[in-house]
Amino acid sequence: MIKFDYRSADVSVIGSEHGLDIAQEFSEYREKIANIITDLNKRKDKMGQKLQWMNLGYNEETLWYVKEYASLVQGRFDNILVLGIGGSALGGLAVTEALLKPYWNLLTPEQRDNFPRIFFLDNIDPDTMNGLLDILDLKRTLVNVITKSGSTAETMSQFMIVKNRMKEEMEDDYRKNIVATTDKQTGVLRQISEQEGYKTFVVPDDVGGRFSVFSAVGLLPFALVGIDIDEMVNGIKDMDLFLKNTDINENIAAQGALIHYLMDTKKGKNLSVMMPYSSRLKYVSDWYVQLWAESLGKNEDLQGNPVHVGPTPLKALGATDQHSQIQLYNEGPNDKVINFIRVGEFDTTLEIPKIFEYTGIGYLGGKTLNELMDAEADSTKVSLADYSRPTLTITIPKVNGYYLAQLLYLLEVQTAIAGELYNVNAFDQPGVEQAKYYTYALMGRAGYEESARMLQERMSAIS
Ligand code: PA5
């Protein structure tokens, strides 16, 4: 199982000014946490609660359709191009980076077991988009356009550009190279897909973008590049069962949520750093940052009172950022909870050769990079503790589909519980929607004329 270690956030290790008496806090919050977990598990079966993501591990139908389509198109494409942004891209990036062989897109087809290369176009930089389109043979590319709302300006602009180029190159055959993942009924992409006859998959109702990685949003691209999605689903189910435990002493999602909440509200530590000691898990931090920020950063509580809460998430990578951010984490303001993710066993053991023994680097010879990575994480944790900085450590036994799915699901449940502790709606994102509407207005979308006028006035006042 995944392990969670919170000792370095405890008063016994980092002192009473910055540490929590965790045993005492667990006992005080025992009932509240039990109620939260029971309540979430009850509400997840009711539509309208935005908790359908808790049921995605049990959606056999989606699993079947995704696998069927992936096997149908296998061998037809050299590239998968995913168009999407935010929750429609970050889970895909995190999982493919972690589970595919490193440098996947540079490998030969044989080295990729004849599965396609995969590209995520998660931004609208004209240079990078044009550059990518220049190197892709669109006839041999399957475009998976993903947008829950079906109208996000970034994703739909990418799509319009790609679709036009495909049509120029392939005439009417281009339709077979497009698969859309969107709402089952509403939105512009649904409308276009029906008119044009694209193959489609559904972003289920009541699943927010940042909680959608285990729907067709993630599962389809994963299956297309040969990731074992059954293994992932098994991981989610096992973790879901484990996290149903209402006892805070046994429930690691509740422990993480409570410690973060108390560190923020009692100890003034409102920054949450995600720092995996694994390059393959690098994009898990990007995914976590969105999850934590959009879910918990809210300006009103569940009763409608103004609150402006939410810990700010930051991303870092071990050991790389020991040479960048750790100076600040050790000696700057003591306002952070640092989350390490450690890997029990890497797939490879890489020995450092015994050379230059007569020099100051001779001590490295004969050791492994694995030992060095462990030493880096251990030493950083101890040095942070020396400076009374709290750390939490999640250890996954290996980077594989089973444990990665467990890790992501664990962080989703932790976020949901944190939302309850902060007493905010963790499943909406009005701040994101507002920025989207402003973009629509500035780009001249019909129905947004009044906002466009107001924005022009505001912009001329500040620029
Ligand atoms: O979590 C969210 O809801 C957002 O970040 C969305 O995922 C993002 O804005 C993209 O939205 P859509 O999938 O509707 O294009």
Side-chain angles (χ1 to χ4, degrees):
M1 274 308 276
I2 289 188
K3 289 198 191 112
F4 180 59
D5 185 346
Y6 50 73
R7 283 171 300 179
S8 292
D10 191 77
V11 66
S12 58
V13 175
I14 58 169
S16 58
E17 193 184 343
H18 296 288
L20 295 167
D21 185 340
I22 292 179
Q24 174 70 23
E25 300 290 3
F26 281 4
S27 124
E28 277 175 28
Y29 275 84
R30 198 182 168 90
E31 201 182 324
K32 184 169 176 98
I33 290 290
N35 289 340
I36 289 174
I37 297 169
T38 309
D39 185 51
L40 284 172
N41 280 291
K42 263 194 210 151
R43 280 165 45 207
K44 81 181 171 65
D45 294 323
K46 291 193 200 130
M47 288 308 275
Q49 299 285 317
K50 294 271 184 194
L51 285 167
Q52 286 306 308
W53 56 271
M54 295 180 82
N55 294 323
L56 292 176
Y58 304 93
N59 192 339
E60 297 293 332
E61 205 185 338
T62 302
L63 201 62
W64 190 88
Y65 279 118
V66 162
K67 286 194 290 190
E68 195 216 14
Y69 178 74
S71 71
L72 202 73
V73 299
Q74 200 187 341
R76 270 183 49 206
F77 299 105
D78 298 333
N79 312 301
I80 307 297
L81 173 58
V82 179
L83 308 178
I85 199 160
S88 293
L90 289 168
L93 264 168
V95 170
T96 52
E97 185 73 13
L99 298 185
L100 294 177
K101 287 181 192 162
Y103 306 105
W104 178 257
N105 288 344
L106 299 181
L107 303 179
T108 62
E110 295 69 39
Q111 288 168 325
R112 285 185 268 113
D113 298 324
N114 291 313
F115 285 107
R117 302 184 294 175
I118 187 160
F119 300 87
F120 288 85
L121 207 52
D122 61 340
N123 205 353
I124 43 165
D125 183 312
D127 293 336
T128 48
M129 172 144 196
N130 200 41
L132 180 59
L133 292 179
D134 278 350
I135 59 168
L136 292 182
D137 174 0
L138 290 178
K139 292 195 181 94
R140 299 284 304 164
T141 300
L142 178 65
V143 174
N144 183 195
V145 49
I146 309 176
T147 162
K148 182 178 169 60
S149 62
S151 58
T152 301
E154 294 88 337
T155 305
M156 294 315 284
S157 309
Q158 294 167 347
F159 175 65
M160 288 155 86
I161 293 168
V162 173
K163 187 245 159 182
N164 233 26
R165 289 213 192 179
M166 288 177 117
K167 194 161 190 311
E168 276 162 23
E169 284 185 29
M170 302 159 68
E171 300 193 344
D172 277 351
D173 266 357
Y174 75 90
R175 291 188 173 88
K176 294 186 202 131
N177 289 37
I178 295 173
V179 52
T181 308
T182 191
D183 186 85
K184 72 172 179 297
Q185 278 172 332
T186 62
V188 181
L189 184 59
R190 173 57 61 186
Q191 185 192 344
I192 293 174
S193 302
E194 277 165 16
Q195 277 163 6
E196 295 253 315
Y198 304 149
K199 172 76 187 166
T200 59
F201 284 86
V202 168
V203 187
D205 290 341
D206 252 19
V207 176
R210 57 193 175 276
F211 289 90
S212 68
V213 58
F214 300 125
S215 71
V217 169
L219 295 183
L220 178 62
F222 305 157
L224 288 168
V225 290
I227 288 172
D228 183 347
I229 56 175
D230 287 315
E231 187 193 22
M232 295 186 74
V233 165
N234 289 338
I236 309 165
K237 284 190 204 158
D238 288 351
M239 184 51 87
D240 183 50
L241 208 62
F242 183 54
L243 297 181
K244 281 197 163 69
N245 196 325
T246 56
D247 180 355
I248 177 125
N249 292 299
E250 305 292 334
N251 189 314
I252 59 178
Q255 293 171 358
L258 183 62
I259 293 170
H260 271 95
Y261 170 72
L262 294 174
M263 280 292 182
D264 178 8
T265 53
K266 279 191 162 177
K267 302 284 175 183
K269 298 180 204 321
N270 65 353
L271 298 167
S272 171
V273 180
M274 181 54 77
M275 188 167 185
Y277 273 76
S278 154
S279 296
R280 291 169 67 190
L281 299 180
K282 183 176 177 171
Y283 288 108
V284 169
S285 302
D286 292 63
W287 174 85
Y288 169 80
V289 162
Q290 187 209 13
L291 181 71
W292 204 241
E294 282 190 4
S295 303
L296 302 178
K298 297 291 151 76
N299 70 1
E300 60 178 41
D301 67 15
L302 289 170
Q303 288 69 43
N305 304 308
V307 283
H308 298 288
V309 294
T312 302
L314 294 173
K315 53 185 181 173
L317 180 66
T320 309
D321 281 311
Q322 287 179 206
H323 303 272
S324 158
Q325 301 185 42
I326 287 297
Q327 171 60 33
L328 172 75
Y329 296 176
N330 268 341
E331 295 195 346
N334 194 341
D335 54 2
K336 300 169 195 67
V337 178
I338 296 143
N339 296 272
F340 286 172
I341 302 181
R342 296 187 58 172
V343 175
E345 195 188 331
F346 289 87
D347 289 355
T348 312
T349 303
L350 203 54
E351 194 173 307
I352 307 165
K354 279 191 180 179
I355 53 175
F356 304 123
E357 285 175 85
Y358 54 92
T359 72
I361 57 169
Y363 72 96
L364 292 169
K367 311 272 182 15
T368 63
L369 284 190
N370 312 53
E371 288 174 286
L372 182 57
M373 190 66 114
D374 276 341
E376 304 271 4
D378 286 340
S379 58
T380 304
K381 188 169 171 169
V382 173
S383 97
L384 285 161
D386 287 347
Y387 283 97
S388 301
R389 314 286 152 138
T391 58
L392 301 172
T393 304
I394 298 175
T395 304
I396 63 169
K398 274 181 90 62
V399 180
N400 62 23
Y402 181 82
Y403 291 120
L404 181 68
Q406 292 207 330
L407 173 68
L408 300 186
Y409 188 71
L410 164 68
L411 293 171
E412 287 180 342
V413 177
Q414 173 178 295
T415 306
I417 297 173
E420 298 298 310
L421 289 166
Y422 279 102
N423 189 34
V424 295
N425 180 352
F427 309 111
D428 65 359
Q429 56 285 322
V432 177
E433 310 297 345
Q434 191 197 30
K436 281 190 182 183
Y437 298 151
Y438 282 2
T439 306
Y440 296 154
L442 289 180
M443 294 297 283
R445 185 171 175 178
Y448 293 81
E449 295 78 3
E450 194 44 49
S451 299
R453 262 191 301 278
M454 180 273 289
L455 283 165
Q456 293 297 354
E457 272 170 32
R458 298 260 310 276
M459 280 167 17
S460 51
I462 56 176
S463 59

